[in-house]
Amino acid sequence: MVGVVVNFEVPLFGGGVSEGVVRVGETVRRPLRAHSPAVHELLRYLESVGFDGAPRVLGVDGRGREVLSWVPGEAPRVPLPPYVGSEEVLRGVGRLLRRYHEAVAGYEAPDGAPWDGETSNLDGEPEVIGHCDVTPENVVFRGGVPVALIDFDLARPTTRLFDVVTALRHWGPIADPADRDAVLYQVDVGRRLRVFCDAYGLERELRRDVLPTAQVRFERSYRVMRARAESGGGWARMWPGSGQRIRRAQDWLERNWDELDACLW
Ligand SMILES: Nc1ncnc2c1ncn2[C@@H]1O[C@H](COP(=O)(O)OP(=O)(O)O)[C@@H](O)[C@H]1O
Ligand SMILES: [Mg+2]
């Protein structure tokens, strides 16, 4: 019998931002964007240092799409499955982010690399190329264990703290309960911030800056997302809901500030 391999294009949905993300066999095809060369260099560096928690770049296909390796496992989608809310998973994500930061620490990105994210110094002198979008949908799990980060579209030079805070926005989550996924609706966010920071190994002296950084980040996200929405596409579809969610999260953070801050120590 002659074996025939037919590679169907299976549409993938995650953060709902990128249109045209498909799986083809053991690869993922995504539209090439202005920042793709910067991300590809980053992913190549991660491969060169043997970091296994990110996809590999395999090239560009005949239709001008980037070709990445399919990372085996499961990336959660909303509604999030129950295991995403466990503390063991939270610790695993903290450790994974730490491993990523250690792997990327030696990377010197070319000057003027076309990162997508705004690289203002609001978050401090850059230390690493942060992932900057560690949502549940951008983490691949195997056997319930977080093993890889995907979707490096928002990667850019930043501080480790900023990347931690971005992860906490989603994994705390630092969000109004009304905007949380069901599995995270009733969680003890203060405790989860602590568990994540401990698993990451966030230095004590940086912990006092976690909530102020979250505040700065919310303001900037609001501005950046509004600007992106004005340019159309996936971001426009998510606005104004995403802007309103940020405002509610800011209010919730203000209301719970002291209690959350006390948990971080
Ligand atoms: N390399 C990969 N390995 C495994 N799954 C992937 C990979 N790339 C994307 N996916 C899946 O496709 C979804 C959408 O892809 P993603 O790159 O996150 O695009 P976006 O969030 O911009 O829509 C992800 O949440 C994940 O479920
Ligand atoms: Mg994504």
Side-chain angles (χ1 to χ4, degrees):
M1 200 178 108
V2 180
V4 179
V5 178
V6 180
N7 278 335
F8 294 105
E9 303 223 340
V10 182
L12 295 171
F13 306 96
V17 173
S18 307
E19 289 170 30
V21 181
V22 296
R23 177 177 178 179
V24 183
E26 296 308 304
T27 71
V28 173
R29 316 287 168 113
R30 305 169 91 257
L32 269 181
R33 258 96 41 109
H35 60 270
S36 302
V39 173
H40 291 180
E41 285 301 305
L42 167 66
L43 294 178
R44 286 198 185 96
Y45 177 81
L46 294 173
E47 179 173 10
S48 77
V49 295
F51 180 68
D52 59 4
R56 303 291 180 231
V57 188
L58 303 173
V60 175
D61 73 8
R63 289 165 57 177
R65 300 177 296 189
E66 65 177 359
V67 185
L68 305 177
S69 64
W70 169 259
V71 181
E74 179 194 354
R77 289 178 54 185
V78 291
L80 299 174
Y83 68 83
V84 171
S86 82
E87 274 190 16
E88 202 36 52
V89 159
L90 185 66
R91 279 190 208 98
V93 176
R95 287 193 295 262
L96 176 62
L97 186 61
R98 180 61 183 243
R99 271 209 309 124
Y100 167 66
H101 285 166
E102 279 170 8
V104 82
Y107 181 51
E108 296 214 8
D111 278 346
W115 304 111
D116 187 32
E118 181 190 346
T119 53
S120 82
N121 273 338
L122 266 181
D123 33 325
E125 198 53 40
E127 300 165 338
V128 291
I129 304 301
H131 178 283
C132 299
D133 198 19
V134 183
T135 62
E137 294 93 332
N138 287 338
V139 174
V140 175
F141 290 78
R142 279 202 287 277
V145 178
V147 292
L149 302 173
I150 54 173
D151 190 358
F152 284 73
D153 275 349
L154 298 185
R156 63 178 178 82
T158 187
T159 59
R160 292 183 303 116
L161 177 64
F162 191 87
D163 220 10
V164 165
V165 167
T166 297
L168 290 175
R169 158 78 168 124
H170 302 285
W171 288 93
I174 304 177
D176 188 288
D179 294 319
R180 294 184 203 159
D181 210 80
V183 296
L184 298 171
Y185 181 64
Q186 284 196 316
V187 293
D188 180 346
V189 174
R191 181 181 158 89
R192 286 174 61 86
L193 300 186
R194 172 67 179 259
V195 166
F196 187 94
C197 290
D198 286 350
Y200 176 89
L202 191 69
E203 299 86 324
R204 261 189 92 71
E205 60 274 20
L206 289 180
R207 295 192 186 202
R208 73 171 59 87
D209 295 330
V210 166
L211 299 187
T213 301
Q215 209 175 32
V216 166
R217 188 187 162 277
F218 277 135
E219 268 316 310
R220 187 168 59 191
S221 301
Y222 188 90
R223 227 168 3 89
V224 169
M225 290 177 87
R226 187 176 53 195
R228 286 177 186 224
E230 282 160 7
S231 68
W235 296 94
R237 270 201 315 279
M238 299 191 306
W239 193 264
S242 47
Q244 288 159 355
R245 271 194 298 281
I246 292 173
R247 291 296 186 231
R248 283 194 293 271
Q250 286 179 295
D251 290 346
W252 180 84
L253 176 59
E254 289 297 331
R255 284 200 306 279
N256 293 280
W257 188 280
D258 292 343
E259 194 188 320
L260 295 173
D261 196 49
C263 290
L264 281 161
W265 299 90

